[in-house]
Amino acid sequence: MSDHKHEHDEACGCGHDHDHDHEHEEFVLTLTDENGQDVEMVLVETFDVSEKVYALLLERNNPEADGIILRLEEEDDKMVLYNIEDEEEWRLVEEAYNEIVSAQEES
C-alpha cells in the first residue's frame, strides 16, 4: 500500500465514541496500492496495543486476500490511518492480532 494517509469522519466505524445509526454498517475506504490502483478496503475491526489503536482492513472484493493492519490516530477530530514502519511496533501488533484470532477461534 502507498504511504499516503487517509482521513475519515465521525461515521468511520473506528471503535471510538462516534454516533452510529446502523450497527452493521460497513465502513469502506479506498487505498492506493503499489501499482497506483485504487483498492476498496473494508474496516473489519479495531484493537488496541500499547495505548495505540490499530485497524484491520480487508479487500472488499477479495476477502480471501491478506488483510492489512494500519495505525489509527486522531488528528483535528478526524481519524487518520498510517502504515506501521517500525519493526518493533509491527511485532507487537502482530502478536496482539494473533492473540485476538486465537481467542475468536476458541469461542
Side-chain angles (χ1 to χ4, degrees):
M1 294 294 160
S2 69
D3 291 331
H4 75 282
K5 56 187 186 177
H6 182 90
E7 296 185 2
H8 43 106
D9 60 19
E10 283 69 37
C12 66
C14 66
H16 285 78
D17 295 328
H18 301 313
D19 295 328
H20 293 286
D21 295 332
H22 307 287
E23 205 167 302
H24 300 291
E25 187 175 336
E26 187 176 76
F27 178 67
V28 179
L29 63 153
T30 303
L31 299 179
T32 306
D33 69 15
E34 59 273 3
N35 300 319
Q37 301 295 312
D38 285 348
V39 181
E40 284 192 333
M41 304 295 287
V42 177
L43 191 146
V44 178
E45 66 181 297
T46 60
F47 57 98
D48 297 354
V49 181
S50 303
E51 299 181 12
K52 294 180 182 175
V53 181
Y54 296 88
L56 171 64
L57 305 169
L58 295 177
E59 277 188 48
R60 187 178 193 191
N61 299 322
N62 187 8
E64 299 303 311
D66 288 340
I68 61 168
I69 297 174
L70 299 173
R71 186 175 63 251
L72 270 173
E73 293 185 12
E74 192 164 341
E75 293 181 7
D76 302 323
D77 296 327
K78 294 186 181 203
M79 297 308 295
V80 183
L81 292 167
Y82 289 98
N83 290 327
I84 301 167
E85 299 186 2
D86 179 75
E87 281 187 40
E88 179 65 15
E89 180 183 6
W90 177 251
R91 189 182 61 74
L92 293 170
V93 169
E94 196 172 34
E95 280 179 19
Y97 177 70
N98 288 337
E99 286 177 21
I100 292 168
V101 171
S102 295
Q104 287 175 345
E105 288 172 353
E106 290 172 12
S107 59

